[in-house]
């Protein structure tokens, strides 16, 4: 389903959760608003979910952790709030994760260290608190990491040295 770069408005219909045979959904760069429907977790065949560049609000649904075939998840440039759900640890096939430019808060979950295939991690420009989890050092395939403008505190974990391949 590719509807990107249009002028679509309103919410993402809850019926999107019925597209169980879809492997990709691109609704990026529209004027969509409202929450990400919980039924998105039904789409277990998805390899790409691109909802960036909209006006989506609310929290990232925990059902996102059911999308175990995802290689790319882009929720950046929205108005999402709340934390990164710990269920994200199930997305072990992800190579790209973009959550930057939202209103996400709380700590960066240590479970992010399970995403060992990540090549691109962009979570900058959010309202995170606390320190960088040492598990970030598990992401030895990272080519890009962006954590700026997040209000992080504490020291840089020594495990960051593991990122030099």
């Amino acid at each position: 389903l590719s509807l990107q770069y249009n002028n679509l408005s309103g919410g993402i219909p809850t019926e999107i959760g019925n597209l169980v045979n879809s492997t990709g959904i691109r609704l990026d760069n529209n004027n969509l608003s409202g929450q990400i429907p919980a039924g998105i977790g039904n789409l277990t065949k998805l390899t790409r979910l691109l909802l960036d560049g909209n006006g989506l609000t609310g929290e990232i649904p925990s059902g996102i952790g059911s999308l175990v075939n995802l290689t790319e998840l882009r929720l950046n440039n929205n108005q999402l709030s709340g934390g990164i759900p710990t269920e994200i640890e199930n997305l072990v096939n992800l190579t790209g994760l973009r959550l930057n430019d939202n209103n996400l808060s709380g700590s960066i979950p240590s479970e992010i260290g399970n995403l060992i295939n990540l090549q691109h991690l962009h979570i900058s420009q959010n309202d995170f608190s606390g320190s960088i989890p040492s598990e970030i050092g598990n992401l030895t395939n990272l080519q890009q990491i962006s954590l700026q403008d997040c209000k992080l505190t504490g020291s840089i974990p020594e495990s960051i040295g593991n990122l030099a391949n």
Side-chain angles (χ1 to χ4, degrees):
L1 177 63
S2 294
L3 297 172
Q4 72 274 16
Y5 291 100
N6 281 291
N7 198 19
L8 300 174
S9 58
I12 299 172
T14 56
E15 292 80 7
I16 202 162
N18 297 336
L19 303 177
V20 294
N21 290 315
S22 294
T23 58
I25 293 183
R26 289 200 64 179
L27 300 176
D28 51 303
N29 297 291
N30 279 290
N31 292 310
L32 298 173
S33 58
Q35 298 186 0
I36 299 170
I40 208 91
N42 299 336
L43 308 179
T44 57
K45 293 183 181 179
L46 283 183
T47 58
R48 296 179 82 203
L49 178 59
L50 284 57
L51 303 177
D52 52 303
N54 283 292
L56 299 174
T57 57
E59 297 187 0
I60 299 170
S62 60
I64 210 105
S66 301
L67 308 181
V68 295
N69 290 305
L70 277 185
T71 58
E72 186 175 11
L73 176 59
R74 293 192 337 215
L75 303 177
N76 53 298
N77 295 89
N78 279 292
Q79 298 166 26
L80 298 171
S81 57
I84 298 174
T86 56
E87 292 84 357
I88 202 154
E89 72 180 329
N90 300 327
L91 307 182
V92 296
N93 291 308
L94 273 185
T95 58
L97 177 60
R98 294 179 182 265
L99 302 176
N100 52 291
D101 296 287
N102 276 293
N103 299 313
L104 298 173
S105 59
S107 60
I108 299 171
S110 61
E111 289 83 357
I112 210 159
N114 291 347
L115 307 180
I116 57 171
N117 290 304
L118 265 187
Q119 297 173 10
H120 306 277
L121 174 62
H122 298 273
I123 58 176
S124 62
Q125 294 176 304
N126 278 293
D127 294 322
F128 294 119
S129 57
S131 59
I132 300 169
S134 63
E135 291 81 0
I136 209 97
N138 298 344
L139 308 178
T140 55
N141 289 306
L142 274 183
Q143 297 170 9
Q144 294 179 335
I145 183 170
S146 176
L147 302 174
Q148 77 267 12
D149 248 347
C150 280
K151 302 177 183 160
L152 297 169
T153 58
S155 59
I156 299 171
E158 291 178 18
S159 64
I160 206 98
N162 299 344
L163 303 182
N165 337 7

